[in-house]
Amino acid sequence: MGIEKIRPMADEVAGLMAARFGGVRRGQQADLGSMLRKRGGALPRRLRREARVLADADLKAGQPKLARQVDFEQLERAHKALVSYLRPLGQGGRMQGGVVGVAASVMFGLLILAAVAIWIMKVRGLI
């Protein structure tokens, strides 16, 4: 792993955070540092530390002398943990969850309506 792979790793994590938590305007791409400031609280504490490691390495990647100080094994572990946490719920998963929520609300409403209709019929002696 080299210095040139740090920036794409940070951009991938920032993009996944933006897709999952929001915080970026349409058409813009945020860097990892700004995503941590805006939506870093949505990450679990352990992953927040991993994201901070990745963001610090991203800052150091701009300066070759500082980039040599980065622990690439720790960076790879941090990237892997963040991607495995952020990737499972993509756009399709959120969309499916929203549809299931709406369908459940409609079914609950119909159930309540049926219960009220049966109660009214019972009170009027139709049943």
Side-chain angles (χ1 to χ4, degrees), residues 56-107:
D56 290 341
D58 187 30
L59 286 176
K60 289 179 182 179
Q63 300 174 358
K65 284 188 178 182
L66 289 178
R68 286 187 231 140
Q69 297 174 1
V70 174
D71 181 13
F72 289 108
E73 293 171 6
Q74 180 185 16
L75 190 64
E76 185 68 33
R77 282 193 310 268
H79 176 259
K80 186 176 179 181
L82 286 163
V83 168
S84 67
Y85 177 78
L86 293 170
R87 189 158 298 205
L89 267 183
Q91 187 70 20
R94 282 193 301 279
M95 183 75 88
Q96 184 180 4
V99 169
V100 168
V102 169
S105 297
V106 169
M107 291 302 294

Side-chain angles (χ1 to χ4, degrees), residues 100-118:
V100 168
V102 169
S105 297
V106 169
M107 291 302 294
F108 183 70
L110 289 174
L111 181 69
I112 296 295
L113 182 66
V116 169
I118 291 173

Side-chain angles (χ1 to χ4, degrees), residues 40-58:
L43 287 172
R45 184 173 295 156
R46 179 184 56 86
L47 290 176
R48 212 174 306 146
R49 282 192 296 262
E50 301 287 343
R52 178 54 46 204
V53 166
L54 191 58
D56 290 341
D58 187 30

